[in-house]
Amino acid sequence: MAKVLICEIILKPHQFGLKFDLVEDPMARSNNNRATDVKDTVDNSLALARHSDILFTPLLDGGKPVLNYRARLLQSNISEWAELKSVGSEIDEETDIKYLRSLDPVEWKDQDHYAVMGLQHMRFRATEEDIKRAYRFRVLRHHPDKRQAAGEAVIPDSDYFACIVKANEILGNPVKKRSYDSVDPKFDDYLPPKNCASENEFFKVYGDWFELNSRWSVIQPVPLLGNLKTPREKVEEFYSFWYDFDSWREYSYLDEEDKEKGQYREERRWIEKQNKQARAKLKKEEMSRIRNVVDNSYAVDPRISMFKEEDVQKKLEKKLARQNAVKLKQMEEQKIREEAEAKAREEREKIEADEREKELASKKEKEAHKRAMKKERKNLRTICKTNQYYAVGDDEVVTNMTSVEQLCEILPLNELEDLCKRLSSLDFEESRDVFLDKVNVVLKKIQHETNETIKVSQNRNGHGNSNNQEIEWSHDELALLTKAVNLFPAGTTHRWEVVANFLYQHANAKNKKQRSAKEVLAKAKDLKSADFSKNALKEEANLKAFDLFEKSVKNAVAVESEATQRVNESLQNKMKSGISVEDTSVNSSDKLKSTETVENRGWTSEDQKLLEQALKTYPASLADRWDRIADCVPNRTKKECMARFKEIAALVKAKKSAQNPLKKP
């Protein structure tokens, strides 16, 4: 028997070009009769193989490497058997035999396969080699043939060796092993408490839980909880990993029915659908369990509280730094602004000082020029007065006096000085010729400027050949236009149509002309841009006003004319006697002022407000209404108040009548 076992352990000699003879050991022969157990047989065979009585003779030169290979192979077999012996040494044989005999092959799904294989001390950490080794040991010890040879009664249909075979089938397949590990009955799916009494308790309780559940992670190695001194980066990495935890745990082992048992394809699909729904539900519960524990850990982790306080403190520091930066920037901007303002103020003060100096110098220059002009004018008047204004007769005195004043007003300083020098250095006849020549030059200059002004005004007003075909405006129409423009101010709806309608309604029946809004607008612009001081309308208005004034105050005008005549006569007498006109101008003006009368006083805005308030206060039902209104408006009589009221009423009525035609469809 020993020879047979040795031949199984070593290589066959003819395969390697060797031949050797086996010498049977007497000790092995004596033990041959007592080798009733497989273990004893293998031990004896190995003991025999260790002896140096194995004789061989290399037939080839390469026989030495083969000998070394045989030695290594023998050593490997020895090590394997030592490991098999170690597997058996970790198992209590009596307890193990009792457990195996209690197994029912029909209930294999509810059994602990690691305990069946004798790997309960390793469980999910058992490798493929560990499982193979354990199965070989189980076969050597519990195979039905071995037990029957030893005299044990074996029932083939209910023998526990079928459970060993099923356990090896599940644990030996990596997919089935993972499925069984996912529902390992020895794994505790407990939840740690939400509150911990101390920091050490937190790290102990939750640290153990995370370490226990790290076995389910697809990514290995798994970061652990750490301790109070763990850096913030590691803590954030830990919670980031567990919040995105990817578990390989699946629950196909708990499928109620095997889809392969279905007879039809539809039945198999239905079974697979039911199994997937059950697995998804269990998977969801598992992920919810892990997420709840991670949330609880994050909530009670003292490091997270410390990190949050640090973040708040950093945020406050950043805020203060930002505020300080803003204040510093504002202070710098304020400083720059103040410097700019100070610089601008200095420049402004400097410019103002220069302007004041220039203004003072200009003022002094003007005053000096004014004094010089005054001096030269006085000198000219004195020279002309001394020479009787260079008049040959009495009729020329007044004319030459007027010419002297014109010379004083028009001639510049240098010409006045030159004229005075020439007049003072010449005799009467020559100086008279110089004076008259100068007067003629000044009159021509005045006439030329007047003509140029009139020409420019006519060009501006557009009175050219292009408007010869335009219908001329009469004085009455111009007066009505002026009145309508004031009556209908800017902002009136369809203003120029209203003004044109007003002109048509209030024009004389003989000269009634329908003016368009465009013509009215053009004429209004001409009147606005024209020199009204030289306008014929103003001259006619002044003439009419004088006539009205003469009619209304005949007595005052008569007194004024007599006084004026007396003043003119006295002026002529004094001129004949050589008295200066300047001496008599003050007295004559005083006399004229004393004869002035005030008539047709205009209504001020204050008087108008008082009148309107009185009209609102006293209704028309009162008998003495206008007496009371006159008392409320100082310096106005009852007659003036009534006339003003009628005037306003007429204007309102005219305005309404001018606007009504435009409102008709």
Side-chain angles (χ1 to χ4, degrees), residues 492-520:
T492 305
T493 306
H494 303 290
R495 182 189 183 193
W496 298 109
E497 287 82 355
V498 172
V499 172
N501 191 25
F502 180 84
L503 295 178
Y504 181 74
Q505 289 180 355
H506 294 81
N508 294 330
K510 296 180 180 180
N511 299 324
K512 207 166 190 179
K513 301 175 185 177
Q514 181 65 44
R515 300 281 184 178
S516 64
K518 187 175 181 180
E519 292 178 339
V520 173

Side-chain angles (χ1 to χ4, degrees), residues 48-90:
L48 180 62
R50 293 190 189 97
H51 291 180
S52 60
D53 55 353
I54 300 176
L55 302 178
F56 63 92
T57 302
L59 300 179
L60 301 174
D61 295 337
K64 188 174 182 180
V66 176
L67 182 63
N68 294 334
Y69 174 77
R70 186 180 65 82
R72 289 196 302 272
L73 185 60
L74 289 174
Q75 186 64 33
S76 174
N77 292 334
I78 293 170
S79 301
E80 183 178 355
W81 178 246
E83 291 177 357
L84 288 174
K85 291 175 65 178
S86 65
V87 171
S89 64
E90 295 177 359

Side-chain angles (χ1 to χ4, degrees), residues 520-632:
V520 173
L521 177 59
K523 194 62 180 176
K525 289 183 177 179
D526 290 342
L527 292 175
K528 184 177 180 182
S529 61
D531 187 1
F532 193 68
S533 62
K534 298 180 178 62
N535 200 321
L537 181 63
K538 180 179 179 182
E539 294 177 0
E540 185 176 354
N542 291 335
L543 292 174
K544 290 183 178 180
F546 181 77
D547 293 339
L548 293 174
F549 181 76
E550 186 178 14
K551 290 179 182 178
S552 61
V553 286
K554 288 183 178 180
N555 295 331
V557 172
V559 172
E560 183 179 359
S561 62
E562 292 177 0
T564 304
Q565 185 177 0
R566 287 196 300 270
V567 170
N568 291 334
E569 291 178 356
S570 62
L571 180 61
Q572 291 179 358
N573 294 330
K574 289 182 179 180
M575 288 176 63
K576 291 179 180 179
S577 61
I579 300 175
S580 175
V581 179
E582 294 179 354
D583 299 335
T584 61
S585 61
V586 177
N587 296 329
S588 62
S589 62
D590 293 339
K591 290 179 180 179
L592 287 173
K593 289 180 182 179
S594 64
T595 60
E596 289 181 353
T597 59
V598 180
E599 188 66 24
N600 295 330
R601 293 175 298 167
W603 281 74
T604 62
S605 60
E606 187 66 27
D607 293 343
Q608 184 67 27
K609 290 181 181 179
L610 293 174
L611 176 62
E612 292 175 359
Q613 184 63 34
L615 289 172
K616 294 178 182 179
T617 304
Y618 303 108
S621 59
L622 295 176
D624 56 346
R625 182 190 184 195
W626 291 106
D627 294 331
R628 296 185 181 184
I629 291 174
D631 294 338
C632 294

